Amino acid sequence: MLIVNKQDGFFHYKYIVNRNMKIFQRSEIEEAISSSTAFATKLIDEIERGFCAYSEGKFNACPIQTMGAPPMDKFPDSEDDSRYAAQVCVKSGYIGGDDYFVLKVASGGYPLPDNWGCMQVFSQRTGKLEALLLDDGILTEIRTAAAGALAAKVLAPKQID
């Protein structure tokens, strides 16, 4: 949080940092999600809860911010390359009344070397950053897989002959 005070005709800036903020690296995230067989089931249940909240108008999705893709300027060193597909997206949202809201930053596409991503978890009550998940995009892949599993669970025939 940034606090600005004006004294003696000058602006003084002071940052207040949440000293309890947790930072999780990809290896820690992978260990956490693979250490429990119940994780996949719980994740699918939470994805279902999120879709239901969205359908009920309880999920607040902010407009997606996209950088590096038309109509915005391309990133450097790629102006004349027809293979250019790089972009960075910032997505955010929350379920009203829950404890947190999340910002996700994801990048990828040629000429960027790899897909990358992180998630920032903020308190809805204080606005403070509570956790930084440096997941390199793996959480997006897992969420997509869970959404697919949920679709199969809900839409697949009860019996296949």
Side-chain angles (χ1 to χ4, degrees), residues 2 4 14 19 23 30 41 43 48 54 56 61 74 79 86 88 99 101 103 107 119 124 133 141:
L2 176 66
V4 181
K14 177 180 176 184
R19 299 197 189 284
I23 299 175
E30 289 174 328
T41 302
L43 177 61
E48 183 173 17
Y54 179 80
E56 295 165 359
K74 293 180 178 181
E79 291 300 322
V88 175
D99 293 331
F101 67 91
L103 298 176
S107 63
M119 296 193 189
Q124 283 193 35
L133 310 174
E141 295 171 10

Side-chain angles (χ1 to χ4, degrees), residues 25-41:
Q25 302 293 329
R26 179 181 175 150
S27 59
E28 295 170 289
I29 294 166
E30 289 174 328
E31 183 179 328
I33 61 180
S34 64
S35 64
S36 168
T37 55
F39 176 82
T41 302

Side-chain angles (χ1 to χ4, degrees), residues 12-86:
H12 300 271
Y13 300 94
K14 177 180 176 184
Y15 284 97
I16 302 207
V17 178
N18 180 359
R19 299 197 189 284
N20 297 319
M21 182 190 73
K22 297 172 182 73
I23 299 175
F24 297 95
Q25 302 293 329
R26 179 181 175 150
S27 59
E28 295 170 289
I29 294 166
E30 289 174 328
E31 183 179 328
I33 61 180
S34 64
S35 64
S36 168
T37 55
F39 176 82
T41 302
K42 182 163 176 48
L43 177 61
I44 293 167
D45 291 345
E46 288 300 313
I47 295 293
E48 183 173 17
R49 184 175 84 90
F51 283 145
C52 289
Y54 179 80
S55 296
E56 295 165 359
K58 296 177 183 174
F59 181 79
N60 299 278
C62 303
I64 298 171
Q65 298 176 36
T66 304
M67 296 172 270
M72 300 190 76
D73 290 340
K74 293 180 178 181
F75 292 139
D77 302 327
S78 56
E79 291 300 322
D80 297 325
D81 197 327
S82 63
R83 299 172 296 164
Y84 182 85

